[in-house]
């Protein structure tokens, strides 16, 4: 009789310990959020990750910003080469002095923009043929930041130049591998995982699929008339639709919050006034109207979701606008934390 009572007491204590451990584990999980940034190349994923550093980790100090000088210089020089090559391919006349200037830069292979190379950079950029090629940039590959930097070469070439936050945000370095950014919001640890979007990088995505709280899938709105870097034939938005459908309906993310960032709103607002969305979607009939186009694109992506019980949250963003991203992320954070609390049985 005594042994039976003793056994029951031991079982009770074990169950009590297990319950306490489960409760602690639930609390721990409720205080850890893994955000996976996905999307095709050039969609703005890395810019979102930079914004988290600015908003939640005290931003970039002078030393970190100075380190971006090389990347910014490479963006400028590669943009000039792409513009010149496009002019040649499109049979646009270029002044001989422009070609000579580009050859001087190519021969020197500079790592920075200095007052030595600034005159040649400005000569190339101001060439009428190069400017004409720029107006046809949807026909070839060119960084979104090309005009932003090239219009401001004197500042970038000054001896005491330290990149601004906007310079850093607009710099383009292809993401390879897996980059994590950890930050804490309201006592909750957020781990944002950024992986490369090019086709060659996507085979690495699966290594990040475990224990994901939410997927933030980025789409560049302005890509609807552009082609992929990888094959120069596939429409970028068609590619984004295909990849989004694959991720949204993946068995890995059946119970994972799915958040769609329709990014590069600022560029899209400019482009839609000139280029109809029908160049990408033949059945679009909304004309060169921003609201009609946004509504159509939103519905196009939402229709890829094959699970009626799965909600996809949509946010229109400009990744280079810190204020916009802060507002959007605050809303996203509330969605994620509420769902997380519900899943652990701690929510209302």
């Amino acid at each position: 009789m005594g042994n039976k009572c003793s056994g029951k007491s031991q079982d009770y204590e074990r169950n009590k310990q297990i319950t306490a451990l489960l409760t602690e584990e639930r609390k721990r999980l409720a205080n850890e959020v893994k955000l996976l940034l996905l999307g095709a190349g050039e969609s703005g994923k890395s810019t979102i990750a930079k914004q988290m550093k600015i908003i939640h980790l005290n931003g970039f100090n002078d030393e970190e910003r100075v380190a971006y000088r090389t990347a910014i210089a490479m963006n400028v020089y590669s943009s000039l080469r792409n513009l010149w090559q496009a002019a040649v391919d499109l049979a646009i006349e270029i002044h001989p002095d422009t070609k000579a200037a580009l050859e001087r830069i190519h021969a020197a292979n500079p790592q920075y923009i200095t007052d030595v190379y600034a005159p040649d950079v400005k000569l190339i950029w101001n060439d009428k043929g190069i400017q004409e090629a720029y107006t046809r940039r949807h026909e070839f590959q060119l960084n979104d930041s090309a005009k932003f930097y090239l219009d401001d070469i004197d500042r970038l070439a000054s001896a005491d130049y330290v990149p601004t936050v906007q310079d850093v945000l607009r710099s383009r370095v292809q993401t390879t591998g897996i980059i994590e950014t950890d930050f804490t919001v309201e006592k909750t640890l957020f781990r944002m995982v950024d992986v490369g979007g090019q086709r060659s990088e996507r085979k690495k995505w699966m290594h990040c699929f475990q224990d994901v709280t939410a997927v933030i899938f980025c789409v560049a709105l302005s890509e609807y008339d552009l082609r992929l870097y990888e094959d120069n034939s596939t429409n970028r938005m068609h590619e984004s639709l295909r990849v989004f459908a694959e991720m949204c309906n993946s068995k890995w993310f059946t119970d994972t919050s799915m958040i769609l960032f329709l990014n590069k709103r600022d560029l899209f607002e400019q482009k839609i006034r000139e280029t109809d969305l029908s160049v990408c979607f033949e059945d679009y009939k909304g004309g060169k109207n921003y609201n009609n186009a946004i509504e159509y694109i939103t519905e196009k992506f939402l229709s890829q979701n094959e699970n009626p019980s799965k909600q996809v949250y949509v946010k229109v963003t400009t990744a280079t606008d810190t204020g916009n991203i802060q507002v959007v992320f605050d809303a996203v954070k509330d969605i994620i934390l509420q769902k997380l609390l519900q899943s652990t049985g701690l929510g209302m």
Side-chain angles (χ1 to χ4, degrees):
M1 185 81 174
N3 288 337
K4 287 183 180 179
C5 289
S6 176
K8 287 182 179 179
S9 177
Q10 289 174 356
D11 288 344
Y12 173 78
E13 287 300 322
R14 278 198 296 269
N15 289 335
K16 186 177 178 181
Q17 290 173 359
I18 291 170
T19 300
L21 287 171
L22 287 173
T23 300
E24 286 302 312
E25 181 65 9
R26 283 180 175 180
K27 288 180 180 179
R28 185 188 68 78
L29 288 172
N31 285 307
E32 287 188 14
V33 172
K34 181 179 177 182
L35 301 177
L36 183 57
L37 281 172
L38 297 179
E42 309 296 314
S43 59
K45 300 186 306 300
S46 296
T47 308
I48 297 291
K50 289 176 187 175
Q51 289 284 22
M52 293 304 101
K53 179 174 173 62
I54 292 168
I55 295 168
H56 298 294
L57 295 171
N58 299 317
F60 295 87
N61 60 37
D62 285 354
E63 184 179 352
E64 290 171 322
R65 285 185 284 131
V66 166
Y68 275 89
R69 286 184 62 190
T70 301
I72 291 167
M74 294 306 101
N75 288 173
V76 168
Y77 295 137
S78 66
S79 293
L80 292 178
R81 286 193 297 271
N82 290 348
L83 283 162
W84 181 82
Q85 187 59 55
V88 172
D89 294 342
L90 297 170
I92 298 172
E93 185 178 354
I94 299 293
H95 195 282
D97 289 348
T98 299
K99 183 178 180 181
L102 190 65
E103 287 174 346
R104 284 193 295 271
I105 291 174
H106 180 71
N109 192 28
Q111 298 301 302
Y112 302 102
I113 300 168
T114 68
D115 55 2
V116 174
Y117 306 106
D120 279 343
V121 171
K122 290 194 288 186
L123 187 153
I124 298 166
W125 177 233
N126 291 325
D127 185 285
K128 291 181 179 179
I130 293 295
Q131 286 295 313
E132 182 181 345
Y134 181 76
T135 65
R136 298 174 63 178
R137 58 193 177 279
H138 64 283
E139 299 180 48
F140 58 96
Q141 306 294 345
L142 187 68
N143 284 342
D144 291 332
S145 60
K147 180 176 173 59
F148 175 81
Y149 291 138
L150 288 166
D151 279 348
D152 209 6
I153 285 300
D154 287 335
R155 179 175 65 86
L156 272 58
S158 63
D160 58 351
Y161 169 59
V162 175
T164 65
V165 170
Q166 270 300 305
D167 292 340
V168 170
L169 287 172
R170 292 174 183 267
S171 65
R172 167 65 185 156
V173 178
Q174 182 177 326
T175 303
T176 57
I178 300 165
I179 300 173
E180 293 189 2
T181 304
D182 293 354
F183 53 94
T184 300
V185 182
E186 297 177 9
K187 298 182 180 180
T188 299
L189 173 65
F190 283 77
R191 176 167 290 116
M192 182 170 278
V193 182
D194 179 21
V195 290
Q198 272 73 23
R199 286 175 174 174
S200 61
E201 292 294 315
R202 291 178 204 161
K203 59 188 177 184
K204 303 172 185 175
W205 286 10
M206 188 171 287
H207 300 300
C208 306
F209 284 180
Q210 287 188 328
D211 302 320
V212 173
T213 310
V215 171
I216 296 178
F217 193 95
C218 295
V219 177
L221 285 166
S222 57
E223 68 188 1
Y224 67 92
D225 65 341
L226 303 177
R227 292 167 290 182
L228 291 180
Y229 272 94
E230 294 94 314
D231 64 14
N232 208 33
S233 60
T234 304
N235 178 279
R236 291 193 191 182
M237 189 160 283
H238 291 171
E239 177 81 350
S240 288
L241 269 170
R242 184 187 66 76
V243 179
F244 176 75
E246 186 179 337
M247 294 298 102
C248 186
N249 300 307
S250 169
K251 63 180 182 180
W252 288 95
F253 303 132
T254 302
D255 300 314
T256 303
S257 296
M258 186 69 60
I259 300 158
L260 178 65
F261 276 13
L262 297 179
N263 193 33
K264 302 191 180 182
R265 178 190 62 193
D266 53 336
L267 300 178
F268 180 73
E269 283 180 316
Q270 297 170 19
K271 182 177 286 188
I272 197 65
R273 298 179 194 136
E274 304 295 331
T275 306
D276 198 293
L277 188 61
S278 60
V279 301
C280 179
F281 301 110
E282 292 183 0
D283 62 340
Y284 171 73
K285 306 299 181 186
K288 298 175 183 179
N289 180 281
Y290 171 81
N291 291 325
N292 291 345
I294 287 288
E295 183 179 352
Y296 179 92
I297 292 171
T298 300
E299 290 304 317
K300 199 75 174 177
F301 275 88
L302 291 179
S303 69
Q304 306 305 308
N305 179 16
E306 298 172 1
N307 182 355
S309 64
K310 186 182 184 73
Q311 184 172 359
V312 177
Y313 303 91
V314 183
K315 302 292 179 183
V316 180
T317 61
T318 299
T320 55
D321 182 340
T322 302
N324 171 249
I325 296 303
Q326 183 156 16
V327 170
V328 169
F329 185 77
D330 283 346
V332 167
K333 174 205 66 183
D334 291 342
I335 291 168
I336 292 170
L337 293 182
Q338 186 57 41
K339 287 203 69 175
L340 191 61
L341 287 171
Q342 290 172 353
S343 69
T344 57
L346 298 175
M348 296 298 291

